[in-house]
Amino acid sequence: MRNFFKMFFAAFLALIVFCGVIFLIFSLIIGGLMASDIAKVPAGSVLYIDLSRSYSERKQQNPLLTLTGNIEDEVPTLFELTRMIRKAKADSMVKGIYLKCNNNVNGYAASEELRNALIDFKSRGKFIYAYGDYISEKAYHVANVANKIYCNPKGMFNWTGMSVEYVYFKNLLKKLEIEPQIFYDGKFKSATEPFREEKMTEANRLQTSVWLGDLYNQLLYNTSGSRQIDTASLRRYANDYAVETPQDAVRLKFIDGVKYDDEIKDEVKKRLKLKEDDKINFISPGSYLHAITLMDYGKTNKIAVVMAEGDIVD
């Protein structure tokens, strides 16, 4: 009989714990859904965009966000972000954008889309401030559209041009006595080149120079237009490694000054006419996404675009 009551109360306790866990999960889910509905944009908000986050073409599902309701951490797609910026352009609640530009993990095509959206945002007379402790070249390509660009006085600013490196495995495979079966057609088909050559072929060198040069020329052209520095000087600064410190970047007019993050936020407060002790209403893309409607269906005829991302396979 004693063993029976032990098992009975143990099972009863496990049932209570199980019901408590289920109740907690449902509470978190309902709280998350309610948080999505009550997202608001305070007056005088500043949209905070971090380039170190990947804004992909396809939505990245995060189950934890549904449970916790922490919409601030939600990362929008590139499609959503660019349209969000254009929406903020006409939103009287949003006064400007704070661009965190340490590094840019997004591709060049995505960066160009984002850059164009920021230029469009500025056309309404709203401000963009960009700041980075370390500003990479790809991050600067987007950030140079800002009204003001600042770098940490003890940080780094990168302007060294573009290059690519390929790793070749032919000799390694030979030492391992591995003979790959390679099929290709045409001298410009270089996908299999690392497995069949010891170094870059002239055909691959030519095509790489063309597409890389095109990207580099676009970077020079865009930077020249934003910062009023001629492309010849920009190319020379990269070839001569003229920018070694953030102070060099200021002297050569790449950025507007060297300041710490709190100093820039004080400047933003002045722009917003806030008091020294007031807080800036920063709003993340995730929060702003839940506070607005990006698509207006039914007003006019629309063409739908299906986003597809991934490898092409048989």
Side-chain angles (χ1 to χ4, degrees):
M1 183 64 69
R2 179 180 295 180
N3 291 335
F4 169 78
F5 281 111
K6 283 183 179 180
M7 294 178 63
F8 174 78
F9 285 115
F12 184 69
L13 180 61
L15 181 62
I16 293 175
V17 172
F18 175 77
C19 292
V21 171
I22 294 298
F23 176 77
L24 179 61
I25 291 175
F26 274 103
S27 298
L28 290 172
I29 292 174
I30 293 172
L33 294 175
M34 291 179 63
S36 300
D37 294 335
I38 62 175
K40 302 292 183 182
V41 181
S45 292
V46 176
L47 190 60
Y48 188 99
I49 299 176
D50 188 353
L51 293 180
S52 66
R53 291 198 165 193
S54 176
Y55 303 105
S56 62
E57 297 287 354
R58 188 169 55 184
K59 191 75 171 180
Q60 302 296 322
Q61 299 298 333
N62 188 344
L64 292 177
L65 294 179
T66 304
L67 293 176
T68 62
N70 191 10
I71 57 178
E72 290 186 2
D73 293 333
E74 183 174 345
V75 181
T77 64
L78 178 65
F79 177 87
E80 292 171 334
L81 183 62
T82 53
R83 279 149 186 79
M84 192 186 307
I85 293 172
R86 291 187 171 93
K87 192 84 172 182
K89 169 188 171 184
D91 191 342
S92 60
M93 295 296 187
V94 179
K95 301 301 181 182
I97 290 176
Y98 189 94
L99 195 64
K100 191 66 177 294
C101 55
N102 285 343
N103 192 21
N104 182 7
V105 300
N106 300 281
Y108 285 100
S111 297
E112 192 71 19
E113 288 287 327
L114 181 55
R115 190 178 190 277
N116 291 335
L118 292 172
I119 292 173
D120 182 62
F121 177 85
K122 280 178 58 182
S123 66
R124 184 58 71 92
K126 297 186 177 184
F127 67 83
I128 301 176
Y129 277 76
Y131 171 75
D133 295 309
Y134 159 75
I135 302 179
S136 68
E137 199 168 74
K138 192 156 62 163
Y140 181 70
H141 183 208
V142 177
N144 60 29
V145 303
N147 300 88
K148 297 289 184 179
I149 312 174
Y150 295 109
C151 186
N152 190 305
K154 303 298 182 181
M156 295 178 63
F157 182 89
N158 183 36
W159 187 261
T160 55
M162 293 183 177
S163 64
V164 294
E165 293 183 359
Y166 296 124
V167 179
Y168 290 81
F169 306 100
K170 181 179 179 179
N171 290 333
L172 172 64
L173 296 176
K174 187 176 180 180
K175 290 179 180 180
L176 294 173
E177 298 182 354
I178 298 174
E179 184 178 350
Q181 301 296 316
I182 299 171
F183 301 91
Y184 70 99
D185 182 27
K187 61 182 180 180
F188 288 103
K189 299 295 184 180
S190 60
T192 60
E193 188 175 282
F195 302 98
R196 56 182 170 80
E197 299 289 345
E198 297 179 4
K199 60 181 181 179
M200 183 183 289
T201 62
E202 289 304 316
N204 192 18
R205 186 181 302 277
L206 174 60
Q207 66 182 0
T208 300
S209 299
V210 170
W211 68 256
L212 184 62
D214 191 48
L215 287 178
Y216 189 37
N217 289 334
Q218 184 72 7
L219 170 64
L220 296 176
Y221 175 79
N222 287 342
T223 303
S224 177
S226 296
R227 301 299 298 180
Q228 304 304 309
I229 310 172
D230 64 89
T231 56
S233 296
L234 291 172
R235 194 182 295 273
R236 186 177 71 254
Y237 295 152
N239 293 341
D240 297 342
Y241 292 94
V243 185
E244 296 182 352
T245 65
Q247 288 73 18
D248 291 333
V250 176
R251 176 174 53 84
L252 298 174
K253 300 181 180 180
F254 281 94
I255 60 177
D256 297 288
V258 287
K259 291 185 178 182
Y260 293 102
D261 183 65
D262 61 319
E263 295 178 296
I264 301 163
K265 289 177 179 176
D266 287 339
E267 189 172 329
V268 174
K269 287 180 182 179
K270 292 180 181 178
R271 185 78 178 247
L272 296 171
K273 297 181 180 179
L274 298 176
K275 296 180 181 178
E276 186 177 349
D277 296 332
D278 292 339
K279 289 186 177 180
I280 302 171
N281 290 325
F282 285 118
I283 183 168
S284 70
S287 297
Y288 193 57
L289 180 64
H290 286 270
I292 61 173
T293 302
L294 291 180
M295 306 298 291
D296 296 324
Y297 296 105
K299 290 186 176 181
T300 59
N301 294 328
K302 298 286 185 179
I303 298 177
V305 177
V306 178
M307 294 292 183
E309 183 180 37
D311 297 330
I312 299 175
V313 297
D314 291 338

